[in-house]
Structures are given as C-alpha cells and as structure tokens.
Amino acid sequence: MAPYASDDSTRAGEDDDLRVGRRKAVRYVVPVTVAGVAAATIGLVPAIADSGDPDLPKITTQQLLEKIAASDVQQLSGTVKITTDLGLPDLGGLESGLLSGAAGEGDGSSADPSTKLTELASGTHTLRVAADGPDKQKLSLLENAAEYSVIHNGKDVWGYDSASNEVHHSTVEEGTDKAETPVPATPKDLTEEALKAVDTTTSVTVDGTVQVAGRDAYRLVVKPKQSGSTVGAISVAVDAQTGLPLKFTLTPKSGGSAVVDAGFTQISFAKPAASTFDFTPPKGAKVTEGDAPGAEKLPEHSTAPTEKDMAGLNVLGEGWTSIATFDTGGQGVPSSAEMPDAGAFGGFLDSLGDKVTGKFGSGTVFSTRLINALMTDDGKVYVGAVTKDALVKAADAGR
C-alpha cells in the first residue's frame, strides 16, 4: 500500500491550511482525574479492513480533510466493533467501575448512559448504530444475553438496560446535537476529536487506500511531530464516496497493539425504518428521570475534581506534549497501607502508581498505555499524553 507522494511546495501549502490553532487541553481523552488519577481514553485497534487496496483517484491531504468536514451523512445503520486496551491491570471488572465513578455516577440507574457507556473504556464490544437526521439516533451495546440501548427520538432520550429492566429518561432541545453519548463511540466521533488536535505540531498525510465493511476508503494518517508524546499515530479510513470515517485506529509510541480499534464491520446508507427509534418502557421496568447525556453531575462524595477544583486548570507546553495541571488543594494519593478499608481500590492505585521524586518534592505517577498523570504529595496534578519524565520536569518547573 504505497503512500501518496507530494512535492515540497504542496506540502508547505497544506501545512499552512492545517493551522487550526492550538488546543488548550489534552488530546482525545475522556478526562477522568480522580484521587488516583486513572485517565481513560478512547482509541482504536488495527481495523477490521477487508483484503485488497482499491484503486481510487489521487487526493491531497487538504482535499481529504475538506471531504471529512463536508460529510453530511444523515441516514445510516450498521455494526461497529470497538476494542480498547489501555493496559490497565485486570481487577475483575473493577477498572470499568472506577472509570464510570470518575466520570460521574449519574443518578444510580444502571440505564444511565453517563455510567453504562463507560464500559467502552476497556475490552471488546459490539455496537449497533442507526441514524435518521439530527433528531433520531440509536446506539445499542450488545452483551451476553442482554442489550443496552440509547435512543434519541425528538426531544426524548431513553436509556434501556434489558439485564436489569431499568429505563433512564431525559429530554433535549429538538434540532440540536445535545443528545450525544457521553463517550465517543464511533469512528466519526473519534475522528472529530482527533482532528481538533491538528496544528503546526502535527503531521497529516494521505497514505494509500483500504477497504472497510465493503466500502472503498482513503487512509488518513495523523502523527505528532514532537518528541515526548506517548501517541504513535492515528489512522482513519475515510469513505471515498461520502467522506464518513469508517475506522479509527490509535497506536501508542511504545508499539504493540493499538490502544483501541473502532471500525464498521457492516454499514448501509439506506433510511432506517421509523420503528427503529420507537421506544416505550416495558411493563414493570423501573423508570428514572435524569439529566441529558453529557450533563451528568458528580456524586456528593465523589473524589473526582469539581468545577471549583478545575477553575485553576492551566496548560503547559503546546501541541501533543501539552500537560494539563491543576491544584486539588488537598493531599496526595495515599497508599493501600494508609487506606486499610479501601480494598480493591487501594490495590488498583498501588498497581498503577510509581513513586517519583524531584525538585517539586515527591508524588505518584499513574500510567496507562497512552495517558500518564502525576499527583504530587501536596495535591497538584499534572496529566497528559506524555512520558513520565515529562511530567516530572513539568512539576519541577512549576514547583
């Protein structure tokens, strides 16, 4: 699969066009900073690509980016397979609970999207998706002998967990995109987040063609130009006809399998049946009224930072080596020995954390395959898609 070539003048022009400003945030992360800062990301594993590289007309990087931006697919249905491998220790499913708790525990309903969909932060999952314009979408998470669905139809947003027979209901303003799921779940969601990071610290190229779910696609590759980032590369398969991202793959600089793999295994652009978006709570189901997805609130005793805590958020550096930092105003993370009643949570912190020292004093670095976070013993937090050494240097400089 040979990459497309371009001369220096063309590449320089494309670099100018790609300057979309610096993002003052850590890239494509679902930020979760808790007392033991375990950051969750959604990235993807090498795709479920069909064999054979289609023969498509040559396209420049800028043209492909414009094609993605102009994509306006209103109707589709299909199946997405997503695998996430953050490298968290196997704690019998505890890691999913910790991530959902860090993201906000909602109102306690097992059907609340703000907690249920955080399961996508680990393991392999199969999703069925359908859409018919801005007011009708459906996402179903297929599980063993059960199914969880989020249905947006007009002003109503329903979450339904067949395993517990619980229903979560909220409302949104019609004609808006406020019914988005709290976690990026499709190649399109993930690509939009990744492209927000494109600036002068980024290399963006077109690297041949692929087939995904029977569709011909161009392959867009996004890489950091800076050293010190834990991100290796992002690869996006872009449908040649519609411009819709069909697959998104994020690989770490350390190598090995991708951090996550989300790709369509089947897709149709035909109008879904209207009944696809109908929902009536089953007889006997427990119905909970709650906030719209994405508007979840932190539980009263949550250890995740509040809006007040985050008011002092600062960003050090730029581009792919940006480090977000804030002061919790509290103590650092205690070890399991200092928390005899913490049980598995204490073990989780110990398994992730490495004690470090520097001019700043001492602290603990919590690591995944992509995101590292340093919490100092006096409660300052440094987090980013950067190496442990970069966090220590940032803490030393900001002491």
Side-chain angles (χ1 to χ4, degrees), residues 336-396:
S336 59
E338 297 170 303
M339 298 188 301
D341 298 326
F345 181 71
F348 177 81
L349 297 184
D350 283 350
S351 66
L352 281 184
D354 292 324
K355 291 293 183 181
V356 294
T357 59
K359 295 177 182 178
F360 68 89
S362 60
T364 305
V365 172
F366 299 93
S367 302
T368 70
R369 297 179 66 217
L370 193 66
I371 302 300
N372 292 318
L374 165 63
M375 177 172 274
T376 66
D377 289 347
D378 59 358
K380 294 183 177 64
V381 175
Y382 299 83
V383 59
V386 297
T387 63
K388 179 171 69 175
D389 289 343
L391 294 177
V392 171
K393 289 180 180 178
D396 283 343

Side-chain angles (χ1 to χ4, degrees), residues 60-361:
T60 68
T61 300
Q62 187 60 33
Q63 287 172 333
L64 187 54
L65 290 172
E66 290 171 354
K67 191 176 188 70
I68 295 172
S71 180
D72 188 29
V73 175
Q74 295 290 311
Q75 299 169 336
L76 67 81
S77 59
T79 303
V80 175
K81 184 177 180 181
I82 177 168
T83 300
T84 309
D85 179 13
L86 288 168
L88 297 175
D90 183 4
L91 296 177
L94 175 65
E95 62 270 30
S96 294
L98 289 171
L99 294 177
S100 62
E105 293 178 0
D107 49 30
S109 170
S110 67
D112 186 348
S114 68
T115 56
K116 186 67 177 179
L117 292 181
T118 56
E119 291 181 9
L120 299 178
S122 65
T124 298
H125 303 275
T126 299
L127 308 174
R128 279 205 300 256
V129 298
D132 184 9
D135 290 328
K136 292 184 178 182
Q137 298 97 33
K138 182 176 181 179
L139 182 152
S140 296
L141 172 60
L142 308 184
E143 302 172 310
N144 293 331
E147 181 174 321
Y148 174 78
S149 294
V150 179
I151 305 103
H152 171 214
N153 193 341
K155 64 181 179 60
D156 293 305
V157 179
W158 300 94
Y160 175 58
D161 183 5
S162 67
S164 63
N165 198 28
E166 290 192 32
V167 174
H168 184 276
H169 177 248
S170 60
T171 58
V172 295
E173 183 180 346
E174 293 189 64
T176 71
D177 58 0
K178 294 180 181 178
E180 294 177 350
T181 61
V183 175
T186 68
K188 179 178 182 293
D189 296 334
L190 293 156
T191 300
E192 288 176 348
E193 289 302 306
L195 292 183
K196 290 175 184 178
V198 172
D199 58 16
T200 56
T201 68
T202 309
S203 166
V204 185
T205 57
V206 179
D207 186 17
T209 63
V210 294
Q211 264 205 348
V212 177
R215 303 282 302 184
D216 291 348
Y218 292 101
R219 183 171 178 259
L220 185 74
V221 177
V222 180
K223 291 182 179 180
K225 290 181 180 179
Q226 300 162 301
S227 60
S229 173
T230 56
V231 176
I234 294 171
S235 174
V236 180
V238 182
D239 186 71
Q241 182 177 349
T242 66
L244 179 73
L246 300 175
K247 185 180 68 166
F248 177 103
T249 304
L250 189 153
T251 53
K253 192 172 183 178
S254 59
S257 63
V259 174
V260 190
D261 167 40
F264 279 96
T265 59
Q266 180 275 327
I267 189 169
S268 169
F269 295 106
K271 180 183 176 70
S275 59
T276 302
F277 310 101
D278 292 340
F279 181 79
T280 301
K283 185 177 180 180
K286 177 184 176 182
V287 180
T288 301
E289 295 291 333
D291 294 319
E296 60 272 9
K297 298 177 181 178
L298 293 174
E300 183 179 356
H301 300 295
S302 172
T303 55
T306 64
E307 183 176 344
K308 181 179 179 181
D309 294 330
M310 299 297 283
L313 180 69
N314 188 28
V315 176
L316 309 176
E318 64 176 0
W320 299 76
T321 55
S322 296
I323 297 174
T325 179
F326 62 94
D327 192 339
T328 66
Q331 299 298 313
V333 182
S335 67
S336 59
E338 297 170 303
M339 298 188 301
D341 298 326
F345 181 71
F348 177 81
L349 297 184
D350 283 350
S351 66
L352 281 184
D354 292 324
K355 291 293 183 181
V356 294
T357 59
K359 295 177 182 178
F360 68 89

